[in-house]
Amino acid sequence: MILDTVDWIFIISFFLISLVIGITVARKAGSSTSEYFLSGRSMPWWLLGVSMVATTFSADTPNLVTDLVRQRGVSGNWAWWAFLLTGMLTVFVYARLWRRSGVLTDLEFYELRYSGRTAAFLRGFRALYLGLFFNVMIMATVCLAAIKIGGTLLGLSPWQTLLIASVVTVFYSALGGLKGVLLTDFFQFFMAMIGTVWAAGFILDLPEVGGLQQLLEHEAVIGKLNFIPRVDDTETLIAVFIIPLTVQWWSAWYPGGEPGGGGYIAQRMLSAKNEKHAVGATLFFNVAHYALRPWPWVIIALASIVVFPDLETIQTRFPTIPIEFIGHDLAYPAMLTYLPHGLLGLVIASLIAAFMSTISTHLNWGASYIVNDYYKRFIDPEAKDNTLVRIGRLSTLGLMLLSAVLALFMSNAVQIFEILLSIGAGTGLIFILRWFWWRINAYTELTGMIVSFLVAVYFEFIHVKIGFEAMPGHYTMLWGVGITTFAWLTVTLLTRPTEEGQLISFYEKIKPSGPGWNRIRSKTEMSESTATKEALPLQVLAMTIACFTVYALLFATGSWIYGDFSIAVVLGLSALGGSVILWLLWKKIR
C-alpha cells in the first residue's frame, strides 16, 4: 500500500516525539534502579492508570477481538471480559497491600513472604520463567500482530516490519526506563483512541458496509450481536461465558489479569506516590479497559464479516502475505486498508503506538526481573546502580531480539492466548490466598507452577498423540485447574510452613486481615481492629458492585450502538447508581 506525504508526517512525527521523550528523561532514569524501574515511586494515579490502559491497548488486541467476534460473535469477548473480576479484586483488596510491601518488583515479594533457600530459588526461577519465557511469549504475540499489520497495510516482509518497529521501541525504552515508558504511553494512548474511533466511523460509511443500521441487519452479522451466548448454543455458552466467569478469572494467571495483582500491574502500583494513588490507578485502568475502549474494535470486526466473509477473500485480497499468517485476526488490518490518506497515516501511527506501548512496558518489566531478582540477587549482590542500569538496558535489547525471532514462528493470536491461559491454569488461587492464609508456602507456588506447566504440555503435545481425542481448550483448562489445585493443596499440607519469624514480620509489615492470619496474629502484639475486620467484607462488596457497574456501562454503550435505547437508558442508570453506591462504600473503606 502506498502512503501519501500526510501519512508519513503522522508516522515520522510520532517516532520523533517518542524518541525525544526517551532522551529527555534518560539521565534521571539512569541514576538508580529505583528510578529506572519504578520512577522513584512518585507517579500520580492518572499517569499510571493511562499507562496500564495503553499497555493493554496492544497491537494484537484489536486483532484478537476481531478473531473472537468473527468466530464466536460479540459474546466471544467474555474470554477476556471475565478478567474484570480479577482487576476489581486488585483495585479494592490488593493495590494497598502491594504498595505497602515496598518491594522493587513483585518477585521480591517471595523473600518477604516465604523463608529459606526455597524462597530464594522460587524468586530466581520465576525471574527467568516470567521475565524470559512468559514475557517473550507475550511480546512475540504482539510482534506477530505487527507482522500482520505491516504486511497488510504497508506490504512489508515480516523481518522488515520487526526491524522497523523494534529499533525505536528498544531505543526509548532502554534510555528512559519506566518514566520514559509512562510518558510515551500517555501520548500514545490518546493517539491510539482517536485513530481507532475515527477509523470505525469511516469504515461504517463504506459502500460495502452501508452504515450502522445496514451492518446490524446484515444476515451474516445479525447472529453475532448477542452480549451473552445463546442458551441453545451450549458449547459456546460454556466456553466463553460460564467457565470464564466461574473458574478462569480466579484460577488462571495471565499478564495484566493476574489474580491478586502482579507483573506490570504490580510494577505500576509499586511506582505510585502512595496507596491512594495505587488504588486510583488500577480503578481507572479497569473502567477504561473494559467499559470505554472495546466497541470501536467490535464495530470494525463486525464490518469485516461483510467485507471479508471468509479467509479465502482475505487471501485473495492480500496474495503477498504468507499463507501461514492468514487468519481471522488478519481481518482487522485488512479493513484499515480502506481508510483515506491522512486518516490512514494517523491510524498506522496509532497502531505503532499500541505496539510500542505494550512492548516497552514488557521490556522494562522483564528487565526489572532479570536485573533485580536474578542478577543482583544471585550473581552480583554488591553491584552498583550504574552497573544494574546498564544490565537492564542490555536485557531490554536481548528480550526484544528473542521476541522478534519467536514471532516469525507463530501464526494465530487466539491460539497463543489459550496456550498461555492453560499454562497458568490452577495457579491463580495461590496468588489470591498467599496474602490471607499463613499456611501457603514456597513449595505451594513451586508445585502450582510446575504442575500447571506439565499439564498444559500434556494436553497441547501428548494427549492426541497417545490415542485420545482432542479436547476443546476450555475443558483442558478445567482439567488443568483441578489437577494443579489438588497438587499444590496436597503439597502445602504435607510440607513445613514458612518460618514463624518470617510470617510475623510479613504480618506486621502488610497488616492483612481475615481469619487466615489468626494463628500468626496471636503471636504478635498487634490485634485486628474492628475497622480492619470490617474492611475486607466491604472491599469484596465494592469489588462486586464495581464489576456490575462496569459491565452495565459496557453494555449500555453497546445497546446504544444497537439502537436499543430503552435498554441503554436502564443500563446507564444502573451504572450511575452503582457508581454512587461505590463512592459511598469507598468513603467508608477509607
Side-chain angles (χ1 to χ4, degrees):
M1 191 168 191
I2 299 175
L3 300 183
D4 206 347
T5 302
V6 67
D7 299 320
W8 285 113
I9 290 174
F10 276 114
I11 295 170
I12 294 173
S13 298
F14 167 75
F15 277 129
L16 289 175
I17 292 172
S18 299
L19 286 173
V20 167
I21 292 173
I23 293 170
T24 301
V25 302
R27 185 174 181 178
K28 187 173 183 180
S31 62
S32 69
T33 52
S34 179
E35 279 290 344
Y36 192 77
F37 293 121
L38 290 182
S39 301
R41 302 185 190 272
S42 60
M43 293 295 101
W45 68 269
W46 53 268
L47 184 58
L48 294 171
V50 170
S51 178
M52 292 181 196
V53 184
T55 296
T56 53
F57 197 144
S58 171
D60 66 320
T61 308
N63 291 20
L64 173 67
V65 170
T66 300
D67 198 324
L68 292 170
V69 171
R70 286 173 63 89
Q71 296 197 67
R72 294 175 172 173
V74 173
S75 61
N77 286 286
W78 280 104
W80 65 277
W81 283 344
F83 281 118
L84 173 65
L85 279 73
T86 304
M88 286 303 181
L89 190 64
T90 299
V91 171
F92 293 103
V93 178
Y94 293 103
R96 291 177 179 276
L97 302 180
W98 274 114
R99 187 61 184 83
R100 203 174 293 165
S101 72
V103 296
L104 182 68
T105 69
D106 60 314
L107 297 189
E108 193 176 325
F109 168 89
Y110 291 121
E111 291 190 281
L112 181 69
R113 172 64 173 81
Y114 310 125
S115 58
R117 293 181 178 179
T118 310
F121 172 79
L122 178 60
R123 178 181 175 182
F125 185 80
R126 292 280 287 183
L128 298 180
Y129 180 69
L130 296 181
L132 281 175
F133 172 71
F134 241 97
N135 195 31
V136 166
M137 285 280 286
I138 295 295
M139 288 193 293
T141 63
V142 181
C143 289
L144 173 63
I147 288 173
K148 296 191 176 189
I149 291 168
T152 305
L153 296 177
L154 303 173
L156 298 175
S157 66
W159 72 267
Q160 287 174 323
T161 298
L162 293 176
L163 180 63
I164 295 170
S166 301
V167 169
V168 175
T169 308
V170 169
F171 189 76
Y172 83 76
S173 300
L175 281 178
L178 182 61
K179 184 169 291 185
V181 172
L182 294 175
L183 292 175
T184 50
D185 278 353
F186 189 80
F187 161 65
Q188 291 165 357
F189 169 71
F190 289 102
M191 172 176 277
M193 281 302 299
I194 291 170
T196 305
V197 173
W198 194 354
F202 184 87
I203 285 171
L204 281 176
D205 290 333
L206 290 174
E208 296 89 338
V209 178
L212 179 60
Q213 190 62 37
Q214 186 168 321
L215 172 65
L216 298 176
E217 294 174 354
H218 194 280
E219 60 181 0
V221 171
I222 198 167
K224 296 183 180 292
L225 299 177
N226 295 331
F227 298 149
I228 298 173
R230 298 192 313 273
V231 176
D232 59 341
D233 188 359
T234 308
E235 191 68 18
T236 302
L237 184 68
I238 294 173
V240 304
F241 186 71
I242 294 177
I243 290 179
L245 281 176
T246 57
V247 178
Q248 177 183 296
W249 74 269
W250 58 261
S251 66
W253 185 97
Y254 189 81
E258 301 91 339
Y264 63 80
I265 299 298
Q267 185 189 36
R268 299 302 193 273
M269 292 186 286
L270 292 168
S271 65
K273 289 181 178 181
N274 51 43
E275 293 175 20
K276 181 179 178 181
H277 282 267
V279 173
T282 49
L283 179 59
F284 176 85
F285 159 63
N286 281 280
V287 173
H289 178 53
Y290 293 100
L292 303 182
R293 197 173 55 186
W295 284 108
W297 297 335
V298 170
I299 289 171
I300 294 174
L302 292 172
S304 76
I305 297 173
V306 177
V307 180
F308 299 104
D310 49 46
L311 297 183
E312 288 73 18
T313 55
I314 298 177
Q315 187 175 2
T316 302
R317 177 70 172 77
F318 305 99
T320 60
I321 295 179
I323 186 66
E324 62 268 21
F325 292 125
I326 300 294
H328 288 287
D329 55 344
L330 193 66
Y332 183 82
M335 292 300 298
L336 301 184
T337 61
Y338 289 88
L339 301 180
H341 292 298
L343 177 55
L344 177 63
L346 175 62
V347 169
I348 291 177
S350 72
L351 290 173
I352 295 171
F355 170 85
M356 291 172 63
S357 64
T358 302
I359 292 294
S360 61
T361 287
H362 279 269
L363 289 174
N364 187 269
W365 166 52
S368 73
Y369 283 179
I370 294 170
V371 171
N372 188 65
D373 300 297
Y374 186 75
Y375 184 85
K376 183 181 179 181
R377 176 63 180 83
F378 298 102
I379 297 178
D380 187 2
E382 303 301 321
K384 296 181 179 179
D385 275 333
N386 59 347
T387 300
L388 295 175
V389 171
R390 184 170 64 251
I391 297 296
R393 286 169 172 164
L394 290 174
S395 300
T396 297
L397 176 60
L399 289 170
M400 188 71 252
L401 287 174
L402 289 172
S403 303
V405 171
L406 181 60
L408 297 173
F409 297 93
M410 292 181 167
S411 60
N412 184 272
V414 171
Q415 180 185 16
I416 303 302
F417 175 77
E418 291 177 346
I419 290 174
L420 291 175
L421 281 181
S422 66
I423 290 175
T427 61
L429 192 57
I430 299 173
F431 304 133
I432 292 175
L433 290 180
R434 65 188 183 181
W435 297 88
F436 294 105
W437 186 27
W438 70 275
R439 195 63 180 82
I440 297 290
N441 59 32
Y443 294 105
T444 308
E445 299 222 19
L446 283 171
T447 302
M449 180 173 56
I450 293 169
V451 173
S452 66
F453 180 80
L454 292 177
V455 171
V457 169
Y458 167 77
F459 281 114
E460 186 66 27
F461 301 106
I462 300 174
H463 185 73
V464 175
K465 289 186 178 180
I466 61 176
F468 293 104
E469 292 185 6
M471 296 174 62
H474 53 283
Y475 288 126
T476 63
M477 194 194 76
L478 286 179
W479 275 103
V481 170
I483 295 170
T484 302
T485 302
F486 175 80
W488 67 252
L489 189 57
T490 301
V491 168
T492 300
L493 298 176
L494 292 178
T495 54
R496 289 181 299 176
T498 300
E499 293 177 5
E500 190 173 275
Q502 188 79 17
L503 291 171
I504 291 173
S505 175
F506 177 82
Y507 177 80
E508 291 177 341
K509 183 179 182 65
I510 304 300
K511 304 176 183 64
S513 59
W517 286 96
N518 284 345
R519 177 169 176 171
I520 303 302
R521 187 181 297 114
S522 66
K523 299 182 180 183
T524 71
E525 296 181 358
M526 301 175 63
S527 63
E528 189 176 25
S529 67
T530 303
T532 303
K533 287 181 180 179
E534 292 177 350
L536 186 58
L538 286 177
Q539 288 167 347
V540 174
L541 177 61
M543 166 233 173
T544 304
I545 294 173
C547 289
F548 279 110
T549 300
V550 172
Y551 284 138
L553 181 58
L554 170 67
F555 298 127
T557 305
S559 298
W560 180 79
I561 292 171
Y562 289 177
D564 298 329
F565 299 117
S566 57
I567 296 177
V569 170
V570 171
L571 290 172
L573 291 175
S574 300
L576 180 61
S579 300
V580 173
I581 296 172
L582 200 59
W583 173 251
L584 296 174
L585 273 176
W586 176 243
K587 290 174 67 177
K588 191 169 184 180
I589 292 171
R590 289 170 58 190

